[in-house]
Amino acid sequence: MNRFLFILFILTLTLGQSSFAQLTATERKLLKTANNLFDDEQFAQALPIYLKIDSVADDYSVKYRIGACYLNSKYEKLKALPYLEELSKIESIEVPIIVYSDLGTLYHYTYRFDEAIYMFEQYLLVSRKDQFSEKKDIEYAKRMITVCRNAIEITTQPFKADIDILESPINTMESEFCPLITADEQVMVYMQTIGLSKLAKPETYLMISFRNSEGYWGAPSKLEITLLEKYKGKSILLAGLSPDGQTIFLNIGQGLDQDIYSGALSGKIITDLKKLNKYINTSFFDGRVSISADGTVLYFVSDRPGGFGGTDIYKSIRTKRGDWGEPENLGEKINTQFNEDAPFIHPDNVTLYFSSEGHKTIGGSDIFKSKFNAGSWSEPENLGFLNSTKDDLYFVLNANGQIGYFSSSKNNVFNKHNIFRVNLKDPIPLTLVKGIIKGGIPPVPISATIQVFDKETGEKVKYVYNPDPETGKYLMIFPPAKNYDVFIGSNDYLPQLINIYVPYQTYFYELYQEILLQPVTLENGVVGEIVTVNNTFYDLYKTIEADSILFDDMPKQPKYYDHLLELIENIIQTTDSMRFNYRKTNQNIEAEGKNVDALLNLIEEAIETTDPITLSILDANAIQKDKIKQTHFYVDGDKNKSLTPHVIGGDTIYSAPTIKTPSSQTEYEKIQNKMIERKDLKETKFRLSHAEDRIYIHRFVVNYPINQDEIPTKKLSEIQDICRLLMDNPSLGAEIYGYTDSQGEEKYNLSLSRQRAQKVLRFFIDHKVEYQRLIVKGFGEAINSADNTDPQHLRRVEINVFELKE
Amino acid sequence: MKCSRILYNFFLIALLLNVPMLSHAQYSEYEIKAAYIFNFAKFIEWPEIEGNNDTLILGIYGTDPFGNILEKTLIGRKAQGKDWKIIRSSNLSDLTKCHILFVSDVGKFETLTIFERTKGLPILTLGDELIDFCEIGGIINFTSQFSEHQFEINNESAKNKGIRISPKLLLLAKIISNKEDEF
């Protein structure tokens, strides 16, 4: 705080010649030493001496110097308060008027806003008569009066959020600050400064922590950067994290010349560190970053010329070529003549959180929120409950708008920061899709690319959707009430196009998706692929509604609201492991135990009283899941023939036939479809179909010795494999066509060909393949083909597996 | 309204009949299925098996979609005065001593293999929404959400194995008979 230094000069002028009659010679000597130290700005050394003198002599000048020493200390500023207070009560020409202003600053710090306003007004009053008063001090006092009035207004508003300090192992005796989380709140990166207040050169590290299955933050570890030696001698600080946690942004540089770099984050290792382009990085300070969930907009801080003063927030849009375009200042609604910093664009893409020393701050930097609506930003709103009169800087929020993290030095004398978690109780409607993609038998995570298109506009939303190749996990965040096409590409499987509809919702909606790609194999190769899409929905609003219908004596709000929030929290904590690993936390065991008993009793009673209605309600009220399993067979065994073109946003994309998940249908359609689904398959008329409607997916030939109709034993296992294929896939039928060579009588040969086919049919039926799906014919003598005259080749049964065209 | 009309009607009926509905909780699919499994055991009698009359054994063949829900639901609770034991295996020879054999996510061919290998053993085969499970000889099959009945039963298959299913369960199920008769 430079302003306190100013005191010193006036002091030397006005109080320099005070008398110290009561002091002994030794004390005078001490005072002289102290004054010398004070003049050299060695306040920490001067202070104990002044304190000693003060204990024996009552002198304004000593008192003021003690005050000044404290004001210039790092952690003990508030101790100046009683000394300055005493001085301010003396109406003496000897007391410098800046004391009023300093006292006001200290009162403001300690939330004594009324007294602070009085002191600043007092300062303004006397400053008019004072020739030494400077314009910037007058402006400061005027601004502080406004700030204190803001503070009175904001700090008296009802407090609606819960704020908790994170426990060990995140917060320690050292300083933890600048937390950044992924949208699903599973990963947190932050900075830790070790040795603040102790070491001459405190060290700052980048840390990462993962949330464990119990919902607590796990032991943090240091982030590792590959090729770190390239940045030797430069400071490396966190700048931002993409909502999916796969891209990390760093500030690297020296002093105020900071540049923005992006890198890939995998586990705790940062690779591929790249400096962003020249539009983003200038010779000026370029700092904190926030990237939109769809990866197309980058918000960042810069003090480049042309802004509104101090650091301003800019945004840059990704160009068609994939790089960042020329940035644009967010404008006067957001940026002020003071510093703006730490932008955070919520995954809803319209809510911006940022810190500012301007706007309606209650002191220092405060966190503000503004929404982008109809082409402009709304008046920034002070998030009063989490702001203090000190600097409040870094604030991030999870996808549902519920849980935020920030760091603050609140209540810490050494200015050490701690990380806090805040429950805002102010949700933003959004749909979060967490998924996992696996392939093969047994399934393992595969690397794939996922692209999402808004069906209406055909616009491609890119960049943040790709699954992590190690875990197969991906994350997508959608504004609700829209249809989307999800296009999945992978090396070993057909490209897939999946439609999903994200319904409109009032609250938060979460979808857990599992995509499984598996080959359909016969002994001699792959004939198709099975795609399984498993969607599990949580519609919290529905749960509430169901509850409120069943219990009309319960108030709907706000009791339910709290319940809802709890649910969201639980869901977020459990989704990661939802299917395989239900959460076990101590406080939940008892409650869950009760629920299981209730469920068991309910079902028992329903069976005992043969009550189908209760069972139906239970069924209908169950967490909705939909599973779609589709098998794509290769046409003529050729993978590429199975692709169909789609035109999306002007581009043509080839994929396997589109998969419509039940989530892209209304609930009525879903029920209807489920009812007809099974009937449909059974009634498919394989035998009546025309040959041109059949799509052949596999052909198999069995050759026979002369005059034999028994299936050669060495072919049995392959034929059994075809039986398995037919049985597991009700959509398939097969032709069984028998032939003979031309030796012998024609009539006999016809019956021999039939017998050959019949024996194969018998084998199929013995293996439980429905005869309705098999078309059996004996063709008699096969016609010699020019390229193969071997009679063995003619004595055969053809098994042609087919699918019917839709 | 997020609820479909059908659901809404159910709720009204529930109100009218004053059904003791569960508070708050929306149970997941497999929590409910586990609860059914527990209750099935109360309404089904198995023939005496020598050497094992004090535990009920639930076998899970191949894929286990339950996670630890089964443990949470079954372990520590008794049905027919017996404790539960859960065996998970992809090898049928480990599962010959089961009372209930739960089968999920397999094709018809594999299902038939299972029936073949457990022929004559008093095992209640239980399918997890498998196509034609009861038609080809399975005893109970869960149906998909929003079906008219929550499960199907092939009582002939049960009888053949000496398993007696309570008429109360039969009344709530969709009854399926062997499809083989059609041949």
Side-chain angles (χ1 to χ4, degrees):
Chain A
M1 285 237 172
N2 289 340
R3 70 174 11 266
F4 292 123
L5 284 175
F6 182 62
I7 297 168
L8 171 99
F9 303 109
I10 302 170
L11 200 71
T12 342
L13 287 175
T14 53
L15 296 182
Q17 307 305 316
S18 292
S19 77
F20 289 94
Q22 65 270 59
L23 293 184
T24 65
T26 340
E27 281 160 352
R28 269 168 209 275
K29 208 173 164 192
L30 268 177
L31 183 68
K32 205 179 167 195
T33 323
N35 285 346
N36 285 338
L37 286 167
F38 190 93
D39 292 345
D40 286 346
E41 299 186 18
Q42 304 210 12
F43 305 110
Q45 283 86 341
L47 181 63
I49 309 173
Y50 283 129
L51 284 173
K52 198 182 169 196
I53 297 167
D54 188 53
S55 65
V56 291
D58 195 24
D59 187 275
Y60 302 143
S61 106
V62 173
K63 283 196 198 313
Y64 194 84
R65 283 173 184 236
I66 291 171
C69 283
Y70 277 129
L71 282 171
N72 284 296
S73 73
K74 215 168 177 183
Y75 306 120
E76 296 180 300
K77 294 194 199 319
L78 289 180
K79 287 193 179 167
L81 205 56
Y83 297 93
L84 296 187
E85 269 175 342
E86 210 177 320
L87 288 169
S88 73
K89 282 177 195 136
I90 303 155
E91 288 189 20
S92 157
I93 192 77
E94 290 179 346
V95 177
I97 64 164
I98 198 77
V99 164
Y100 295 114
S101 175
D102 289 335
L103 199 50
T105 305
L106 289 177
Y107 281 140
H108 164 259
Y109 241 65
T110 48
Y111 287 75
R112 292 157 73 176
F113 303 118
D114 290 323
E115 290 160 274
I117 291 173
Y118 174 78
M119 283 300 159
F120 286 118
E121 279 171 345
Q122 211 56 30
Y123 172 79
L124 289 178
L125 206 68
V126 292
S127 69
R128 274 185 223 134
K129 306 174 212 153
D130 192 306
Q131 53 178 330
F132 292 111
S133 64
E134 281 194 26
K135 201 172 163 233
K136 70 174 173 68
D137 290 321
I138 293 170
E139 267 175 16
Y140 172 79
K142 282 182 179 162
R143 165 104 185 124
M144 284 310 284
I145 290 171
T146 324
V147 166
C148 288
R149 293 210 170 110
N150 293 341
I152 291 170
E153 182 192 326
I154 286 161
T155 53
T156 51
Q157 276 165 5
F159 192 79
K160 58 173 183 171
D162 292 337
I163 301 177
D164 294 308
I165 184 162
L166 289 191
E167 282 169 18
S168 160
I170 302 296
N171 284 321
T172 66
M173 294 302 285
E174 305 294 340
S175 183
E176 289 77 26
F177 61 106
C178 181
L180 297 167
I181 56 167
T182 53
D184 62 357
E185 213 195 335
Q186 294 300 326
V187 181
M188 173 164 67
V189 292
Y190 62 97
M191 289 191 271
Q192 184 178 46
T193 299
I194 289 177
L196 206 67
S197 83
K198 272 192 227 124
L199 303 177
K201 265 181 118 183
E203 299 228 19
T204 298
Y205 299 100
L206 314 186
M207 309 296 286
I208 187 163
S209 173
F210 300 91
R211 230 166 135 109
N212 61 26
S213 55
E214 268 98 46
Y216 299 107
W217 288 109
S221 38
K222 284 177 191 161
L223 279 170
E224 290 163 22
I225 301 172
T226 53
L227 299 172
L228 183 65
E229 59 280 4
K230 260 169 78 180
Y231 309 102
K232 217 178 162 193
K234 293 182 173 176
S235 69
I236 300 179
L237 301 169
L238 278 181
L241 183 70
S242 67
D244 66 354
Q246 297 191 23
T247 307
I248 192 165
F249 295 91
L250 301 175
N251 286 148
I252 302 179
Q254 275 167 315
L256 282 177
D257 183 19
Q258 298 279 337
D259 284 323
I260 302 166
Y261 287 69
S262 77
L265 180 63
S266 180
K268 53 173 188 174
I269 297 165
I270 302 172
T271 54
D272 295 335
L273 214 50
K274 276 191 278 284
K275 191 169 165 177
L276 299 189
N277 69 20
K278 61 179 188 332
Y279 283 130
I280 309 293
N281 286 315
T282 59
S283 54
F284 300 92
F285 169 81
D286 301 292
R288 284 273 296 212
V289 171
S290 179
I291 190 166
S292 66
D294 60 4
T296 57
V297 189
L298 188 80
Y299 294 84
F300 67 99
V301 174
S302 178
D303 69 348
R304 63 191 62 192
F308 291 84
T311 52
D312 277 4
I313 299 170
Y314 289 79
K315 82 170 178 186
S316 168
I317 293 170
R318 207 182 267 276
T319 61
K320 285 205 171 130
R321 293 176 56 211
D323 209 352
W324 296 110
E326 202 171 332
E328 175 193 323
N329 191 303
L330 286 194
E332 55 182 356
K333 273 279 192 228
I334 302 291
N335 292 316
T336 65
Q337 53 170 306
F338 302 97
N339 290 329
E340 276 70 37
D341 196 2
F344 173 75
I345 185 75
H346 186 267
D348 72 357
N349 260 348
V350 294
T351 315
L352 181 77
Y353 294 85
F354 64 100
S355 61
S356 173
E357 291 168 9
H359 296 297
K360 213 170 175 177
T361 166
I362 64 167
S365 246
D366 277 3
I367 296 158
F368 292 86
K369 164 178 152 179
S370 172
K371 280 196 171 195
F372 193 72
N373 190 7
S376 68
W377 292 98
S378 68
E379 192 65 44
E381 180 193 331
N382 188 313
L383 292 186
F385 54 88
L386 41 97
N387 287 324
S388 69
T389 50
K390 298 187 188 176
D391 282 350
D392 300 289
L393 269 168
Y394 308 113
F395 180 72
V396 291
L397 202 59
N398 71 351
N400 69 0
Q402 268 309 295
I403 307 294
Y405 284 82
F406 69 99
S407 61
S408 170
S409 59
K410 244 178 229 180
N411 307 330
N412 190 302
V413 281
F414 297 115
N415 253 331
K416 283 180 182 172
H417 280 242
N418 279 312
I419 295 173
F420 293 80
R421 183 174 192 264
V422 52
N423 190 337
L424 281 181
K425 304 188 171 181
D426 180 22
I428 301 166
L430 258 194
T431 298
L432 182 75
V433 178
K434 291 179 74 169
I436 186 161
I437 182 160
K438 290 181 174 178
I441 303 170
V444 289
I446 56 169
S447 95
T449 54
I450 299 184
Q451 293 170 311
V452 180
F453 302 89
D454 183 324
K455 235 187 150 181
E456 207 177 310
T457 61
E459 249 170 60
K460 182 161 120 181
V461 216
K462 51 185 175 176
Y463 185 63
V464 293
Y465 297 96
N466 280 344
D468 183 322
E470 264 172 52
T471 61
K473 285 182 187 174
Y474 56 89
L475 183 80
M476 315 187 238
I477 297 153
F478 299 113
K482 274 188 169 179
N483 262 303
Y484 294 94
D485 276 333
V486 181
F487 182 78
I488 298 163
S490 59
N491 286 338
D492 304 331
Y493 300 92
L494 288 174
Q496 302 289 345
L497 193 67
I498 302 168
N499 289 152
I500 61 170
Y501 174 70
V502 177
Y504 175 76
Q505 73 257 357
T506 327
Y507 293 117
F508 180 66
Y509 205 83
E510 181 158 318
L511 177 62
Y512 177 80
Q513 190 173 55
E514 205 177 81
I515 296 171
L516 214 57
L517 303 172
Q518 292 173 304
V520 183
T521 51
L522 284 177
E523 265 184 25
N524 46 4
V526 180
V527 293
E529 288 170 19
I530 308 173
V531 190
T532 316
V533 181
N534 245 320
N535 289 334
T536 310
F537 290 90
Y538 291 93
D539 184 345
L540 297 159
Y541 181 67
K542 190 167 164 179
T543 317
I544 301 310
E545 201 174 56
D547 279 353
S548 59
I549 292 169
L550 290 164
F551 300 93
D552 55 354
D553 55 328
M554 286 194 184
K556 281 193 182 178
Q557 297 278 346
K559 200 170 167 190
Y560 274 110
Y561 197 62
D562 284 340
H563 171 55
L564 175 77
L565 302 181
E566 256 169 56
L567 267 175
I568 293 173
E569 211 183 312
N570 283 338
I571 286 164
I572 290 173
Q573 283 167 0
T574 48
T575 41
D576 215 20
S577 44
M578 197 172 62
R579 244 188 94 160
F580 300 106
N581 182 15
Y582 268 66
R583 187 164 75 124
K584 285 185 287 180
T585 57
N586 293 337
Q587 72 265 32
N588 274 1
I589 283 175
E590 211 191 56
E592 280 180 13
K594 267 181 208 157
N595 280 346
V596 173
D597 281 331
L599 179 65
L600 292 174
N601 292 337
L602 184 90
I603 293 179
E604 186 180 356
E605 210 179 312
I607 297 175
E608 192 64 56
T609 56
T610 58
D611 165 16
I613 292 166
T614 301
L615 297 183
S616 295
I617 293 173
L618 189 64
D619 180 37
N621 206 27
I623 291 172
Q624 249 184 304
K625 59 125 207 196
D626 52 51
K627 179 173 181 171
I628 198 109
K629 198 168 185 171
Q630 210 155 304
T631 309
H632 304 299
F633 290 103
Y634 301 154
V635 178
D636 299 328
D638 184 347
K639 215 170 168 172
N640 297 324
K641 283 193 191 168
S642 319
L643 299 177
T644 50
H646 305 271
V647 179
I648 297 171
D651 290 330
T652 308
I653 281 178
Y654 287 88
S655 80
T658 312
I659 298 169
K660 279 198 132 189
T661 61
S663 63
S664 57
Q665 305 156 353
T666 66
E667 240 165 272
Y668 178 74
E669 282 172 344
K670 259 184 242 173
I671 297 168
Q672 290 295 310
N673 285 352
K674 278 198 174 153
M675 283 174 175
I676 54 174
E677 203 172 273
R678 292 185 58 183
K679 256 194 208 161
D680 224 26
L681 292 172
K682 278 185 189 166
E683 283 178 4
T684 315
K685 300 277 190 283
F686 291 100
R687 305 184 106 178
L688 296 176
S689 64
H690 296 287
E692 63 267 25
D693 289 334
R694 297 173 193 163
I695 304 165
Y696 295 95
I697 61 142
H698 185 65
R699 294 172 194 270
F700 186 71
V701 177
V702 192
N703 294 112
Y704 293 78
I706 296 175
N707 206 15
Q708 289 283 317
D709 58 8
E710 292 297 333
I711 306 168
T713 26
K714 60 175 182 191
K715 295 282 184 181
L716 284 176
S717 82
E718 280 167 282
I719 299 177
Q720 192 174 348
D721 219 26
I722 296 171
C723 290
R724 178 178 59 81
L725 181 72
L726 283 164
M727 241 185 307
D728 290 347
N729 297 284
S731 67
L732 298 181
E735 298 166 347
I736 302 172
Y737 291 165
Y739 298 92
T740 65
D741 59 22
S742 51
Q743 297 171 55
E745 252 181 75
E746 205 172 303
K747 204 179 163 190
Y748 175 80
N749 280 343
L750 184 62
S751 103
L752 180 62
S753 73
R754 281 185 183 147
Q755 277 172 34
R756 282 178 178 158
Q758 287 291 336
K759 291 250 160 124
V760 174
L761 172 70
R762 191 73 252 157
F763 184 88
F764 270 68
I765 288 174
D766 286 348
H767 282 81
K768 313 266 181 192
V769 178
E770 295 97 333
Y771 70 99
Q772 292 95 327
R773 295 162 60 190
L774 305 170
I775 300 156
V776 186
K777 271 185 193 162
F779 286 93
E781 293 172 11
I783 300 148
N784 257 332
S785 62
D787 59 323
N788 199 337
T789 50
D790 176 11
Q792 159 92 13
H793 171 78
L794 299 171
R795 299 186 293 269
R796 67 182 194 266
V797 168
E798 287 176 358
I799 304 171
N800 302 320
V801 183
F802 66 90
E803 227 179 357
L804 290 180
K805 277 185 196 157
E806 275 179 25
Chain B
M1 268 312 243
K2 286 243 167 173
C3 287
S4 75
R5 181 158 298 169
I6 297 170
L7 289 186
Y8 187 71
N9 287 343
F10 280 141
F11 293 132
L12 287 186
I13 296 166
L15 262 188
L16 291 174
L17 296 180
N18 207 6
V19 172
M21 197 53 204
L22 309 161
S23 63
H24 306 313
Q26 210 184 356
Y27 289 99
S28 74
E29 178 193 352
Y30 283 97
E31 278 168 337
I32 293 173
K33 282 179 177 165
Y36 271 112
I37 293 176
F38 178 81
N39 278 298
F40 285 157
K42 292 190 167 181
F43 295 88
I44 288 169
E45 280 173 37
W46 280 268
E48 297 271 313
I49 305 171
E50 260 182 65
N52 179 17
N53 282 314
D54 42 354
T55 48
L56 278 167
I57 302 174
L58 170 66
I60 307 292
Y61 175 77
T63 321
D64 174 16
F66 285 102
N68 66 0
I69 297 173
L70 280 177
E71 272 74 9
K72 238 165 52 187
T73 313
L74 303 182
I75 302 302
R77 292 188 178 80
K78 289 185 180 194
Q80 302 186 347
K82 293 172 186 176
D83 283 322
W84 286 89
K85 189 179 165 191
I86 301 162
I87 302 176
R88 293 176 170 88
S89 177
S90 297
N91 187 351
L92 281 170
S93 49
D94 298 338
L95 301 167
T96 51
K97 290 243 154 61
C98 298
H99 290 87
I100 299 177
L101 179 59
F102 180 84
V103 185
S104 184
D105 201 25
V106 299
K108 215 160 149 188
F109 184 83
E110 207 172 344
T111 313
L112 278 166
T113 316
I114 296 166
F115 294 161
E116 206 65 37
R117 298 277 303 274
T118 57
K119 218 169 192 172
L121 298 169
I123 296 176
L124 181 120
T125 45
L126 174 58
D128 185 16
E129 301 178 27
L130 298 179
I131 294 172
D132 287 346
F133 185 79
C134 285
E135 282 86 343
I136 58 173
I139 299 178
I140 304 184
N141 189 26
F142 284 119
T143 56
S144 55
Q145 200 182 20
F146 301 117
S147 305
E148 203 179 328
H149 301 271
Q150 282 67 48
F151 47 89
E152 317 172 312
I153 297 183
N154 181 339
N155 201 24
E156 286 167 60
S157 294
K159 281 181 188 164
N160 289 341
K161 290 176 171 249
I163 295 172
R164 212 188 139 268
I165 299 178
S166 157
K168 287 175 178 165
L169 266 188
L170 294 174
L171 267 170
L172 290 169
K174 180 178 180 189
I175 302 297
I176 308 281
S177 50
N178 284 344
K179 203 182 175 184
E180 277 164 278
D181 297 345
E182 284 174 33
F183 284 104

